[in-house]
Amino acid sequence: MDGHPTPHAELAQLSDAELVAHARERRLEGQTGIEASKRCVALLYERRRALVRAICAAKAPVDVVDDLESQVYLRFVRAVYVQTAPMQNPSGLLVKMARNVIASHFEKRRGDAIPTGELPEVPVVDDGLDGAGVEESVEELLAVLT
């Protein structure tokens, strides 16, 4: 490369997979390459951001959608720079990452104790059967069996 960041107009014409490949190539070229690499990843993510938000918003409470989206972005950036295999379908990877982030969110929440103030009141049911009444009911039910 010529030491200059790739113009946005050129980057915008690249496919998602080409943006990832370009980001990986340029990242090794010093500060200018790192800046170009960041632009590639940001452009790719911005193309698919609405998809990621829609997946998060469909499955998670509205107050955590921004946090979940941020986690997806962090995982995606890490995957672009750490994975060595060519990334053929970055959009598919983003969908999978969004689903995994949502699943992790709910898994963490499942482990939380339920505050006792939020437990619903359970009415006490008195069915009117005492010990003798239960025995009679059981005998009646079992009598029809051979």
Side-chain angles (χ1 to χ4, degrees):
M1 289 288 163
D2 60 2
H4 298 292
T6 309
H8 185 274
E10 282 183 41
L11 292 177
Q13 294 180 8
L14 297 176
S15 71
D16 290 353
E18 291 170 332
L19 280 171
V20 171
H22 190 72
R24 289 176 176 176
E25 288 172 13
R26 294 299 309 265
R27 167 177 80 96
L28 305 173
E29 298 175 4
Q31 192 59 36
T32 304
I34 290 171
E35 191 60 37
S37 182
K38 288 178 182 179
R39 287 182 185 183
C40 290
V41 174
L43 176 62
L44 192 161
Y45 188 79
E46 193 57 34
R47 284 181 184 172
R48 307 296 174 222
R49 183 171 183 233
L51 174 64
V52 171
R53 283 193 71 80
I55 292 169
C56 293
K59 299 288 184 182
V62 73
D63 61 327
V64 297
V65 171
D66 290 337
D67 293 338
L68 296 177
E69 180 191 349
S70 296
Q71 290 176 30
V72 172
Y73 180 71
L74 289 173
R75 287 184 185 193
F76 182 70
V77 169
R78 189 176 307 125
V80 168
Y81 295 129
V82 174
Q83 290 180 356
T84 56
M87 194 179 290
Q88 300 298 324
N89 186 1
S91 298
L93 181 61
L94 281 167
V95 169
K96 177 130 178 76
M97 286 179 170
R99 290 179 179 156
N100 288 345
V101 164
I102 293 165
S104 295
H105 169 74
F106 284 111
E107 184 65 31
K108 287 177 190 172
R109 288 187 63 192
R110 193 175 305 153
D112 294 345
I114 300 172
T116 55
E118 294 179 21
L119 292 176
E121 290 292 324
V122 179
V124 177
V125 178
D126 183 14
D127 56 5
L129 297 177
D130 57 357
V134 171
E135 281 185 38
E136 288 178 21
S137 297
V138 171
E139 286 177 13
E140 288 177 26
L141 292 170
L142 294 176
V144 296
L145 301 176
T146 58

